[in-house]
């Protein structure tokens, strides 16, 4: 059985599915699809922690599915802007944990990950990207081995 590692950019998938479909991502359906007939060697969901109860409940659902939930605090800047970015953390984890996997699955439409996808493919890994078609960077789609559109069957 092929070994798979999953990396989910929670903020990206939340905002892109809301923008494109006004719906939420179905993590259970995604898990079933991405892990079918595969051995999961790592599954990580990267989120921003605002400390509210609804968010904690969501994080517990992700844990129950099988994800290791990685959290960063929400940072509000003095100018009113906010910071909450996991790009570097996802990249480091994918390179580190991806070493023991045959297939790397990334859920994000962020074009910054095209370099990661290319680097993983150069290491002989299969890279599967799940993203909202209209909101996924073309460079990321092209860098992936396979692109899977987040559409009806992956929405709630």
């Amino acid at each position: 059985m092929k070994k798979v590692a999953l990396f989910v950019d929670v903020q990206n998938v939340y905002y892109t599915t809301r923008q494109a479909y006004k719906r939420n991502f179905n993590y259970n359906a995604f898990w079933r699809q991405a892990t079918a007939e595969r051995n999961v060697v790592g599954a990580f969901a990267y989120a921003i922690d605002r400390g509210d109860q609804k968010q904690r409940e969501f994080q517990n659902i992700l844990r129950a599915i099988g994800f290791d939930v990685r959290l960063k605090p929400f940072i509000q800047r003095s100018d009113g802007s906010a910071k909450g970015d996991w790009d570097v953390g996802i990249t480091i984890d994918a390179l580190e944990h991806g070493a023991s996997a045959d297939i790397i699955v990334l859920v994000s439409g962020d074009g910054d990950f095209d370099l990661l996808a290319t680097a993983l493919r150069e290491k002989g890994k299969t890279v599967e990207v799940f993203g909202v078609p209209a909101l996924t960077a073309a460079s990321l789609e092209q860098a992936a081995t396979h692109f899977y559109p987040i559409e009806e069957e992956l929405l709630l």
Side-chain angles (χ1 to χ4, degrees):
M1 220 184 315
K2 296 272 187 183
K3 294 181 276 186
V4 64
L6 312 173
F7 302 89
V8 179
D9 184 348
V10 171
Q11 304 310 114
N12 181 277
V13 75
Y14 173 79
Y15 287 109
T16 58
T17 56
R18 298 292 294 172
Q19 182 179 337
Y21 305 114
K22 296 184 181 22
R23 293 171 65 189
N24 290 317
F25 185 62
N26 186 332
Y27 284 88
N28 283 304
F30 161 73
W31 183 275
R32 285 190 300 275
Q33 182 176 338
T35 65
E37 298 181 32
R38 296 172 171 177
N39 180 29
V40 179
V41 296
F44 306 91
Y46 301 85
I48 304 307
D49 187 12
R50 293 176 188 240
D52 66 66
Q53 183 61 31
K54 188 173 179 183
Q55 233 186 10
R56 278 193 289 276
E57 291 169 5
F58 169 68
Q59 293 159 5
N60 287 334
I61 290 167
L62 292 176
R63 288 182 186 99
I65 291 170
F67 288 100
D68 176 353
V69 178
R70 305 275 171 107
L71 298 172
K72 266 189 181 180
F74 176 75
I75 298 169
Q76 186 77 40
R77 296 184 182 125
S78 58
D79 68 358
S81 64
K83 175 151 179 53
D85 188 309
W86 265 108
D87 291 6
V88 173
I90 292 170
T91 299
I92 290 170
D93 284 353
L95 290 169
E96 182 179 309
H97 295 284
S100 61
D102 304 303
I103 303 163
I104 309 299
V105 177
L106 175 65
V107 180
S108 181
D110 189 333
D112 290 340
F113 290 120
D114 60 359
L115 294 172
L116 172 63
T118 299
L120 290 166
R121 288 186 64 200
E122 288 172 354
K123 293 179 182 296
K125 306 299 179 180
T126 297
V127 179
E128 299 178 350
V129 171
F130 284 74
V132 173
L135 299 171
T136 297
S139 61
L140 179 57
E141 285 187 47
Q142 292 164 358
T145 309
H146 303 288
F147 175 73
Y148 296 101
I150 295 174
E151 295 176 319
E152 189 62 34
E153 69 279 356
L154 292 175
L155 297 170
L156 292 172

